Amino acid sequence: MTGDQDRGGGQAGARVKDSRQDRLKLALRENLKRRKSQARGRDDAASSEAAHGSLDGGSLDDAGGNEPRR
């Protein structure tokens, strides 16, 4: 009798485990898609800035683009 209960519970536990793995797999896949999309967006923004010449080669600390005297 106890053997029958253990088998039934094991099958239910396996189904729960499988559904959990499926949900985790789906969540990971969606997360990867979102991260790839964000990375593409950053690459596109950086390449468009470089193409439009908004990067003048000056440092971020030097507003005039001139090199400080030493």
Side-chain angles (χ1 to χ4, degrees):
M1 286 187 85
T2 58
D4 293 338
Q5 291 174 351
D6 289 342
R7 283 189 217 133
Q11 289 175 354
R15 283 189 300 242
V16 169
K17 191 174 184 179
D18 288 343
S19 68
R20 181 176 185 264
Q21 285 181 341
D22 290 341
R23 284 185 286 124
L24 287 173
K25 193 184 304 184
L26 180 63
L28 286 171
R29 187 176 300 127
E30 292 299 320
N31 187 22
L32 181 61
K33 286 180 186 179
R34 181 179 48 83
R35 290 175 57 201
K36 282 184 176 183
S37 177
Q38 287 175 346
R40 281 189 216 111
R42 285 192 299 268
D43 288 345
D44 291 345
S47 64
S48 67
E49 284 180 8
H52 289 96
S54 63
L55 300 175
D56 60 354
S59 72
L60 295 176
D61 294 335
D62 188 16
N66 297 328
E67 200 170 306
R69 292 185 185 212
R70 294 182 182 180

